[in-house]
Amino acid sequence: MTEKRKTNWRAVVLFLAVTALLWIRAEDVQAKAAKPVTKKQNLHMKKLTKKLKKKIAESTPEEGPDSDLALIHGATRLSTARIPQGYTHDDTYYYFLSQMSSKGKAKNDLRLTRIKYKGLGKYSSTYMTLKQFGHGTNIDCAVSEGVTWLWTGSDPQKSGETTTVSCFRFRPKKTLRRHGEKVYRISMQGNKKRYGTNCYPAISADGKQLAVRFTNNGDQQFQIYDLHNATEINPDKIKHQFKMKKTVGDFQGFDLHETTIYTLEGSAEKSELRELGKASRYAPIYIRTFDYATGQTTSKKITGAVKLDHREPEGIQVEVDGSIQVMIASHYKELYTCANVYGVR
């Protein structure tokens, strides 16, 4: 083979090699570009500086005169992307939020975040882990001798439906498993052969009554007990019991005030559900009441918070004076899960 032919052969081989390399890199770039980016990616959150806190808080618009809501605390960034499921607050300045994990080994685990608000964009937070506590649909608290006791559903079945209610003290960065320090199994209407599932508690703001809600043949069963020392009920002594029809929209929590049960229902904003192919499930926010002493019912559609991204109601609290608060979950720039607290006018 002549020197000229050798040179031509080498040039052809080099050309083919470069072409193949460019084709492979082009395919690789195309594959990376086609990789879907999910809305709830939360792997690289920015450090939560004072400046960022304020910026996030200010992302919650003030409500107009036609709104049923008045902003109390603007968006508070939570430390995990899980959507909040319930909230409560104690007699001083602490708010507590439950967030559920629904996937993998952490399924039915709750992240319980404690927040101390100090003004617009200023807050501190810490958390504890509740392993295998269920969905966290409702959480409440009572205070005794200066100690805040938190209550929620516990001991879930494999399906995630809770079988007990229990109470515990908040301990930063600690882990509880399955239930709290005091645990109560709730019998249906006092029948010790039948026990409630999907159990969740609510406590009157004066700390004297505890209501337990569970499902019973498709309806909501409520049983009310006297609460002592923020931690003690006698499950054999039911003070009141009654049924309510299942909520029309997604059930998002309840509370008790004197002789009235307040329920919250609704789902995330319509636009997000349409993306998921579930636009027909969209339901506006409703607060319904039932006075078990008189049988009187009310229903109020809540308008407001229209500019929030996601806008899912996730908890209701009724104060001693009968005023109402609700929490609405949102996203900040589709990265951070946030909680927004409103007063209902």
Side-chain angles (χ1 to χ4, degrees):
M1 185 180 293
T2 66
E3 189 64 33
K4 185 176 181 180
R5 286 183 179 178
K6 285 181 181 179
T7 302
N8 290 341
W9 179 80
R10 288 172 181 167
V12 170
V13 171
L14 180 61
F15 173 78
L16 292 174
V18 171
T19 302
L21 180 61
L22 290 173
W23 179 81
I24 291 170
R25 291 195 66 183
E27 286 289 303
D28 186 50
V29 169
Q30 185 178 9
K32 288 182 179 179
K35 185 179 179 180
V37 178
T38 60
K39 190 168 187 178
K40 292 186 179 179
Q41 276 187 340
N42 204 11
L43 301 178
H44 304 290
M45 294 195 300
K46 293 180 180 179
K47 184 178 179 181
L48 195 55
T49 61
K50 291 182 179 180
K51 184 177 179 180
L52 181 57
K53 282 184 180 182
K54 185 175 182 181
K55 194 172 182 180
I56 292 173
E58 289 175 339
S59 71
T60 308
E62 289 289 344
E63 296 297 303
D66 296 332
S67 173
D68 294 321
L69 302 174
L71 185 63
I72 297 175
H73 297 296
T76 302
R77 193 187 79 168
L78 304 179
S79 58
T80 174
R82 303 171 190 173
I83 291 295
Q85 299 300 327
Y87 92 106
T88 185
H89 64 84
D90 64 14
D91 295 339
T92 52
Y93 39 66
Y94 285 124
Y95 279 69
F96 302 87
L97 293 85
S98 62
Q99 295 170 270
M100 180 193 69
S101 176
S102 59
K103 296 181 179 180
K105 293 181 179 180
K107 186 176 182 180
N108 294 327
D109 289 355
L110 298 179
R111 164 71 62 86
L112 183 64
T113 301
R114 186 182 72 182
I115 299 170
K116 180 181 178 181
Y117 290 103
K118 303 175 183 179
L120 179 61
K122 298 178 181 179
Y123 58 89
S124 61
S125 64
T126 185
Y127 68 89
M128 67 183 295
T129 301
L130 308 180
K131 293 190 72 66
Q132 293 301 294
F133 264 68
H135 193 274
T137 300
N138 221 64
I139 182 171
D140 218 333
C141 69
V143 179
S144 176
E145 297 181 353
V147 178
T148 299
W149 290 86
L150 294 155
W151 286 76
T152 192
S154 47
D155 291 298
Q157 301 172 337
K158 288 184 178 180
S159 62
E161 291 188 340
T162 52
T163 59
T164 65
V165 294
S166 61
C167 64
F168 54 93
R169 290 164 288 178
F170 184 86
R171 296 183 176 180
K173 298 184 180 180
K174 299 295 183 181
T175 298
L176 287 179
R177 298 182 184 277
R178 294 197 63 82
H179 52 70
E181 298 170 48
K182 292 198 174 184
V183 187
Y184 299 93
R185 196 176 181 196
I186 305 300
S187 60
M188 288 188 177
Q189 299 173 317
N191 183 347
K192 292 185 178 181
K193 293 182 179 181
R194 297 182 65 211
Y195 291 92
T197 57
N198 203 18
C199 302
Y200 285 98
I203 298 171
S204 58
D206 62 11
K208 295 180 180 180
Q209 296 185 93
L210 182 140
V212 178
R213 173 196 180 268
F214 55 88
T215 51
N216 185 359
N217 294 326
D219 292 331
Q220 305 177 87
Q221 175 84 24
F222 290 89
Q223 297 181 178
I224 298 176
Y225 305 86
D226 286 324
L227 178 63
H228 303 284
N229 303 320
T231 63
E232 299 171 6
I233 64 169
N234 184 343
D236 295 330
K237 284 191 175 183
I238 303 172
K239 190 175 180 180
H240 300 283
Q241 57 187 22
F242 51 91
K243 279 187 178 182
M244 292 173 60
K245 291 293 184 182
K246 185 179 178 181
T247 56
V248 178
D250 293 346
F251 179 80
Q252 300 288 6
F254 78 106
D255 204 3
L256 169 67
H257 177 66
E258 296 179 348
T259 60
T260 301
I261 290 288
Y262 292 70
T263 61
L264 179 69
E265 63 189 81
S267 55
E269 63 181 347
K270 188 185 296 185
S271 59
E272 177 156 314
L273 290 174
R274 185 179 293 118
E275 290 172 11
L276 300 174
K278 300 177 182 178
S280 61
R281 288 186 57 227
Y282 169 72
I285 299 173
Y286 275 93
I287 294 175
R288 305 185 195 273
T289 70
F290 175 71
D291 187 331
Y292 61 79
T294 64
Q296 183 178 0
T297 63
T298 67
S299 178
K300 179 180 176 62
K301 182 180 178 179
I302 303 300
T303 61
V306 295
K307 294 183 180 180
L308 287 186
D309 177 27
H310 186 76
R311 190 184 180 269
E312 185 170 9
E314 294 288 4
I316 182 170
Q317 290 284 295
V318 185
E319 310 303 307
V320 172
D321 62 3
S323 59
I324 302 170
Q325 288 186 15
V326 294
M327 182 184 71
I328 301 179
S330 68
H331 297 310
Y332 174 68
K333 295 187 176 179
E334 299 187 351
L335 283 175
Y336 308 144
T337 299
C338 298
N340 308 262
V341 180
Y342 296 89
V344 179
R345 292 170 174 160

